Amino acid sequence: MPVTGPDIVVIALVLLVILVLFAGIKTVPQGFRYTIERFGRYTRTLEPGLNLIIPFFERIGSKMNVMEQVLDVPTQEVITKDNASVSADAVAFYQVLNAAEAAYQVSNLENAILNLTMTNIRSVMGSMDLDELLSNREVINDRLLRVVDEAVRPWGIKVTRVEIKDIQPPADLVDAMGRQMKAEREKRAQVLEAEGFRNAQILRAEGAKQAAILQAEGEREAAYREAEARERLAEAEAKATRLVSEAIAAGDVNAINYFVAQKYTEAMAAIGTASNTKVVLMPMEATSLIGSLGGIGAIAREVFGDDKRPAPPRPVAAPRTTPPISSFNPNGE
């Protein structure tokens, strides 16, 4: 069957409709926004999914990535407030919030954000001292984030984070900082050693003080007890003397013998312990000494109340004879 002119027209129309449909159907992937321009003027923004536009009248202007993106900031030479030269590099994270503003408010968006971040790095870090710069990196990041985010807000951009990756001072400055740190640590060690020595001296002095206090208290207690013992001894001696005196007043010969025996014994002890005595001549009247000792026993029984036992017979004095001379040497000679 031959193809006539009307058939060709119909086929052409069908093909045209198919081309128009393909030209008017636009698919936007997730994470992107497309701007639509009609005769070169922005009209709307296409959301992710299947969208329709008017072919030949509307076209896609910009394809904007609205996912969070990272921008590597190259190394920057910065002069600090105290005239120290350091090198710093950073990284910035940003996200497109308004595709139309990001597409039509600034040209070359990434380059604009990069240059703005570099400029503010030099500005913020240049207003700080080197020590503050090295020890307050979080403060630097926070200040950079506020400044850059405020600057890119008219572009429909949100800067989510700005991080300083590395700060490199000059080599000679690093050596000087190392020596300073070493000196500081040595000073701390000396201070700690001095404090330890001082604490040891204080503890030693406190210990000596407590020992002296305890020793004084011990000596006081010992003196008190010694005085009390002497008082008891004096009371006992006074009582014994009173009893013996009463016995002598009553005519008891044993009391007299007690005093004689006591003095006799003390005299013999003094003679025996004398350092300049070599030979001692003494009478050996054993019966007299025994009689004196017997008197001492009788007085003791009377003092302690032992009256049940009969009193021993009084010794009869032996006739006086010439005592034999005996040599006594305390040194064993």
Side-chain angles (χ1 to χ4, degrees), residues 196-212:
F197 181 76
R198 184 190 65 180
N199 293 333
Q201 293 291 335
I202 292 174
L203 293 176
R204 195 175 293 113
E206 289 289 339
K209 176 184 175 182
Q210 293 295 330

Side-chain angles (χ1 to χ4, degrees), residues 3 13 46 66 73 82 143 155 195 248 257 276-277 327:
V3 178
L13 289 176
L46 298 183
V66 296
V73 181
D82 52 353
R143 291 177 61 182
W155 302 343
E195 290 181 354
I248 293 174
N257 291 337
N276 56 356
T277 303
S327 61

Side-chain angles (χ1 to χ4, degrees), residues 128 164 217 293:
M128 305 172 67
I164 299 296
E217 291 179 354
L293 295 176

Side-chain angles (χ1 to χ4, degrees), residues 24-328:
I25 298 175
K26 299 296 179 182
T27 303
V28 180
Q30 185 67 38
F32 285 83
R33 299 291 187 276
Y34 291 175
T35 61
I36 300 300
E37 299 175 356
R38 181 179 298 171
F39 301 113
R41 182 176 179 272
Y42 167 77
T43 58
R44 67 183 187 278
T45 301
L46 298 183
E47 299 294 329
L50 186 64
N51 296 272
L52 295 175
I53 64 174
I54 302 174
F56 310 113
F57 295 96
E58 295 179 343
R59 67 181 184 88
I60 297 176
S62 298
K63 298 179 179 180
M64 303 302 300
N65 186 347
V66 296
M67 294 182 291
E68 188 171 0
Q69 302 178 65
V70 59
L71 188 62
D72 191 11
V73 181
T75 303
Q76 300 293 308
E77 294 293 333
V78 180
I79 304 297
T80 62
K81 187 177 180 180
D82 52 353
N83 297 324
S85 177
V86 296
S87 299
D89 54 356
V91 60
F93 296 84
Y94 70 95
Q95 185 178 13
V96 176
L97 300 181
N98 192 317
E101 292 180 353
Y104 301 109
Q105 293 293 332
V106 62
S107 176
N108 197 347
L109 179 62
E110 289 190 357
N111 188 34
I113 298 175
L114 181 62
N115 283 276
L116 185 62
T117 305
M118 292 166 55
T119 304
N120 283 279
I121 286 176
R122 289 192 294 267
S123 177
V124 171
M125 297 180 64
S127 62
M128 305 172 67
D129 294 332
L130 180 61
D131 293 337
E132 186 181 4
L133 193 68
L134 296 175
S135 59
N136 295 318
R137 188 169 298 186
E138 292 294 333
V139 176
I140 299 173
N141 295 337
D142 186 63
R143 291 177 61 182
L144 281 174
L145 178 61
R146 291 201 310 268
V147 172
V148 177
D149 184 56
E150 184 68 24
V152 301
R153 186 174 300 174
W155 302 343
I157 304 297
K158 172 65 177 177
V159 178
T160 58
R161 183 175 302 177
V162 178
E163 296 286 342
I164 299 296
K165 293 194 297 184
D166 191 18
I167 299 176
Q168 295 180 352
D172 55 347
L173 189 58
V174 173
D175 295 338
M177 293 171 60
R179 291 194 300 270
Q180 180 183 3
M181 180 182 63
K182 182 178 179 181
E184 185 69 22
R185 296 198 175 202
E186 290 178 353
K187 182 183 73 174
R188 291 180 183 176
Q190 292 176 359
V191 169
L192 291 176
E193 184 178 359
E195 290 181 354
F197 181 76
R198 184 190 65 180
N199 293 333
Q201 293 291 335
I202 292 174
L203 293 176
R204 195 175 293 113
E206 289 289 339
K209 176 184 175 182
Q210 293 295 330
I213 292 174
L214 293 176
Q215 183 178 2
E217 291 179 354
E219 292 178 354
R220 184 183 65 180
E221 185 68 20
Y224 173 76
R225 293 182 179 275
E226 184 179 358
E228 186 178 2
R230 288 199 302 269
E231 181 181 358
R232 298 288 178 84
L233 180 62
E235 291 178 357
E237 290 180 354
K239 183 177 181 181
T241 303
R242 180 174 55 79
L243 293 175
V244 172
S245 299
E246 292 176 356
I248 293 174
D252 192 352
V253 181
N254 289 329
I256 300 175
N257 291 337
Y258 169 76
F259 275 109
V260 173
Q262 182 182 11
K263 298 300 181 182
Y264 185 82
T265 304
E266 292 177 357
M268 293 300 296
I271 294 173
T273 57
S275 60
N276 56 356
T277 303
K278 298 300 181 180
V279 179
V280 177
L281 298 177
M282 56 178 295
M284 297 298 294
E285 296 180 357
T287 56
S288 299
L289 181 59
I290 292 173
S292 300
L293 295 176
I296 294 172
I299 293 174
R301 284 193 297 272
E302 292 178 1
V303 171
F304 292 103
D306 192 3
D307 297 335
K308 296 181 180 180
R309 297 183 181 179
R314 295 182 179 179
V316 180
R320 288 184 177 274
T321 58
T322 304
I325 300 174
S326 174
S327 61
F328 173 73

